[in-house]
Amino acid sequence: QQHAVPRVVVKPFRGVASESVYLCESQEQVKEAWEAITDTTVFGQMSSDKHDSVLVQEYLEGTEYALDVVSRNGEHKIAVIWKYDKRPANGAPFCYFQTKLVDEVM
């Protein structure tokens, strides 16, 4: 029996794009995501270190934005705002279709 949980995103603490990112709707799916992620090599490591933990986040529907921020002497400025267009594709819950540079203040 599958035990329902709120929809959550399970992913590596250190990763890139949507690699090894899972959308889970049950405890069993969270366990399967844990097992799949902890069997992979940590992104950016020269050694064969494997993930030993995962990040679980509440799934939110809506438009996703990312910010590039520059900091100097404790002052922070937004350099760029990106708008992501992610959709399900090829059996994956998240696939980048477009990353758009936001060119005006929202």
Side-chain angles (χ1 to χ4, degrees):
Q1 177 183 4
Q2 297 252 336
H3 295 86
V5 296
R7 292 175 88 186
V8 295
V9 175
V10 180
K11 61 186 183 179
F13 273 103
R14 183 172 178 174
V16 61
S18 292
E19 185 176 323
S20 297
V21 177
Y22 298 86
L23 178 60
C24 301
E25 299 181 8
S26 70
Q27 290 177 354
E28 288 77 13
Q29 289 178 340
V30 171
K31 182 177 184 276
E32 290 169 6
W34 158 269
E35 291 170 351
I37 292 167
T38 56
D39 193 41
T40 61
T41 303
V42 176
F43 174 75
Q45 294 293 314
M46 298 303 288
S47 65
S48 59
D49 291 344
K50 303 270 188 194
H51 291 281
D52 60 3
S53 58
V54 300
L55 179 62
V56 179
Q57 298 176 317
E58 178 182 4
Y59 175 75
L60 299 176
E61 295 209 19
T63 305
E64 181 178 350
Y65 293 90
L67 305 176
D68 290 346
V69 178
V70 177
S71 300
R72 180 176 180 206
N73 298 328
E75 188 174 333
H76 314 291
K77 299 207 183 257
I78 297 173
V80 177
I81 301 174
W82 300 97
K83 181 178 178 181
Y84 292 156
D85 179 4
K86 292 182 185 178
R87 306 175 201 172
N90 303 322
F94 312 104
C95 182
Y96 286 92
F97 278 80
Q98 181 182 34
T99 302
K100 184 176 181 183
L101 181 62
V102 177
D103 61 356
E104 60 184 59
V105 177
M106 296 182 285

